[in-house]
Amino acid sequence: MADFDTIEKVANEIKTKFTLNPGVKNVIALYAFNSTGKTRLSNLLNIKDETDGDTEDEEIRSLCYNVFLEDMFRWDNDNYVLQFDRSSWFAKMIIEQGLEDQIIKNFRDIIDSKVEPAFDFISGSVVFNIVSGDDASETNVKISKGEESVFVWSFFYSILITVIDILNSNYGDRATHEFDSLKYIIIDDPVSSIDDTKIISIAIKLVDAIKTCKNNQLNFFVTTHHALFYNVLMNSFNKNDEQCKFRSYS
């Protein structure tokens, strides 16, 4: 990628790259250090496309994972409860699609421990329990920052694979049509405070999700400051694949 003097120009360049191969699934991975504008870039892409016109509908054109999604969660440290905005679009999606069990599974697959989240959608909260089946069981534990990051990622990832599955279906067979106009999947640095083993697991699961996507209207943009995560992405895609155009930048 050429040198640019503003983040806005980078965003426009990425959108241009996505239009170069119509009818092909586009994937762009960007490696950059922290504090270089990755989150701002993700927000610039997480808006309605100018070519869509001044429509007043509520069609979903992008799904975005970044620090603003992480900020939807906050700890009640007095009670060891992780609270979330139950009125948010993401929370409503979890409730409507019944994805809490999928979130728990994805979380435990990555964490590989006995820690398990339990949702309360009425109060908009999550508690974490150690489910060991013996005297070591414990309720309402405070998880680490890395485990919290994995949980928020599992929250988003469960929505992502559900949306991909919906869009893989024939139009008339889709459970919902609210994602019919979806164009961008934007993922900004999902591996903060996470150890290398879990980073590899997250990267592999993300690659698998992208590869299972059969809907070529989707464009995937992934940024990271972590070299290992970036290398897994680069080494997982066949650059000669006619059905998927992969580009990487650093």
Side-chain angles (χ1 to χ4, degrees), residues 20-186:
L20 293 179
N21 302 96
V24 174
K25 179 170 56 183
N26 289 283
V27 182
I28 293 179
L30 173 67
Y31 173 80
F33 296 119
N34 285 331
S35 302
T36 54
K38 295 191 302 299
T39 298
R40 185 181 172 196
L41 178 59
S42 70
N43 282 331
L44 288 172
L45 293 172
N46 187 30
I47 57 175
K48 285 189 175 182
D49 220 8
E50 292 180 0
T51 57
D52 291 327
D54 297 325
T55 57
E56 297 181 354
D57 55 46
E58 296 182 353
E59 292 179 327
I60 299 170
R61 290 180 171 81
S62 61
L63 289 180
C64 182
Y65 177 97
N66 63 15
V67 68
F68 292 98
L69 175 61
E70 295 175 358
D71 287 346
M72 190 179 79
F73 299 84
R74 62 182 181 84
W75 276 102
D76 174 355
N77 287 315
D78 292 331
N79 299 300
Y80 290 172
V81 172
L82 185 63
Q83 297 179 324
F84 60 89
D85 181 3
R86 61 180 179 176
S87 66
S88 67
W89 178 88
F90 284 99
K92 291 178 180 177
M93 173 73 175
I94 296 297
I95 296 170
E96 290 172 1
Q97 298 294 325
L99 300 182
E100 56 264 35
D101 288 344
Q102 185 66 51
I103 295 172
I104 293 170
K105 181 181 183 303
N106 288 327
F107 175 76
R108 294 196 66 174
D109 284 349
I110 296 172
I111 291 297
D112 192 26
S113 75
K114 300 296 184 180
V115 178
E116 184 173 298
F119 289 88
D120 183 342
F121 287 106
I122 296 176
S123 64
S125 62
V126 184
V127 297
F128 294 87
N129 306 314
I130 298 176
V131 184
S132 60
D134 54 28
D135 292 341
S137 295
E138 191 174 351
T139 59
N140 278 60
V141 299
K142 178 71 180 287
I143 60 175
S144 70
K145 181 61 178 176
E147 290 170 327
E148 182 184 342
S149 295
V150 171
F151 173 75
V152 177
W153 168 252
S154 299
F155 197 93
F156 177 84
Y157 179 78
S158 297
I159 293 176
L160 173 62
I161 59 177
T162 299
V163 169
I164 288 175
D165 185 59
I166 289 171
L167 292 180
N168 280 347
S169 303
N170 293 327
Y171 182 85
D173 297 330
R174 292 176 183 172
T176 176
H177 290 285
E178 62 181 322
F179 303 107
D180 289 348
S181 298
L182 186 65
K183 295 178 64 176
Y184 301 116
I185 305 294
I186 304 153

